[in-house]
């Protein structure tokens, strides 16, 4: 990496583009290798981490069972086992980003979505959503989703307390803050 100097970013982008050829061919080993290579060449861009984890958690399980059998991922024990296996690999991959993205809320949000949608683990998802709200410059939606997850977990008073605290911090003039929605 040191030899690349200022070409580090360019090289990582070129490797990422070449990864697309492996991805199109559903080449597990090649895709994994290039995702890992890209993040080792230039670990700074969050997009490599986020899209890499999405490929691992979403695409690879579908490749394994085949496009025509995507229902198998959700409806059979074997399919759920395959989906869980890749979700855990995606989480391990994202864990490696901590050195460079420890305060990045998007990484925590991605982990939360994997726990929630792929592993059906709302407790772990809630913990990651909370962590996203505590990271540097968290997006407004992280707070709303965290409160919703608390409600789904039956922790309604905790959700209400959280929303009340969050509401006080919301600006009146930013539509994306959705202060009216949070207040309802």
């Amino acid at each position: 990496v040191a030899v690349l100097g200022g070409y580090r970013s360019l090289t990582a982008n070129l490797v990422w583009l070449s990864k697309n050829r492996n991805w199109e061919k559903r080449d597990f080993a090649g895709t994994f290798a290039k995702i890992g290579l890209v993040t080792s060449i230039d670990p700074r861009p969050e997009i490599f981490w986020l899209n890499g984890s999405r490929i691992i958690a979403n695409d690879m399980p579908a490749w394994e069972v085949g496009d025509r059998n995507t229902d198998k991922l959700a409806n059979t024990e074997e399919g759920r086992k395959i989906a869980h296996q890749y979700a855990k690999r995606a989480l391990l991959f994202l864990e490696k980003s901590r050195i460079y993205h420890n305060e990045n809320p998007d990484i925590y949000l991605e982990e939360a979505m994997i726990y929630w949608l792929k592993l059906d683990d709302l407790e772990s998802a809630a913990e990651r959503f909370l962590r996203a709200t505590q990271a540097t410059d968290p997006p407004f939606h992280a707070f709303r989703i965290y409160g919703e997850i608390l409600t789904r977990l039956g922790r309604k008073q905790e959700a209400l307390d959280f929303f009340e605290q969050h509401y006080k911090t919301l600006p009146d003039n930013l539509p994306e803050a959705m202060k009216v929605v949070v207040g309802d």
Side-chain angles (χ1 to χ4, degrees), residues 56-103:
I56 297 166
N58 299 315
D59 297 342
M60 290 185 172
W63 296 351
E64 190 159 326
V65 299
D67 283 340
R68 293 193 178 102
N69 295 320
T70 53
D71 288 340
K72 186 176 181 181
L73 283 173
N75 298 327
T76 67
E77 186 61 35
E78 177 190 2
R80 284 187 293 278
K81 183 178 178 182
I82 290 168
H84 285 199
Q85 173 188 353
Y86 284 101
K88 289 176 183 174
R89 287 180 93 168
L91 290 169
L92 287 172
F93 173 73
L94 285 171
E95 186 62 35
K96 294 175 188 173
S97 75
R98 290 277 180 264
I99 297 169
Y100 305 94
H101 298 281
N102 193 43
E103 288 300 313

Side-chain angles (χ1 to χ4, degrees), residues 35 47-48 57 63 71 79 93 96 100 108 118 134 139 142-143 155 157 163 172 175 179:
I35 289 171
I47 197 69
F48 293 149
W63 296 351
D71 288 340
F93 173 73
K96 294 175 188 173
Y100 305 94
Y108 290 108
K118 299 297 179 181
Q134 298 166 339
F143 294 88
R155 294 159 50 185
Q157 187 59 51
F163 278 133
D172 294 321
K179 190 169 187 173

Side-chain angles (χ1 to χ4, degrees), residues 117-165:
L117 300 175
K118 299 297 179 181
L119 297 173
D120 198 29
D121 181 352
L122 279 181
E123 283 293 339
S124 295
E127 185 271 324
R128 289 300 197 247
F129 280 119
L130 176 60
R131 185 63 185 96
T133 68
Q134 298 166 339
T136 303
D137 197 24
F140 294 114
H141 70 272
F143 294 88
R144 294 189 302 273
I145 297 171
Y146 175 63
E148 174 62 28
I149 295 293
L150 289 176
T151 302
R152 288 180 186 219
L153 288 168
R155 294 159 50 185
K156 294 179 182 178
Q157 187 59 51
E158 187 178 346
L160 180 60
D161 294 344
F162 178 79
F163 278 133
E164 286 174 350
Q165 286 299 106

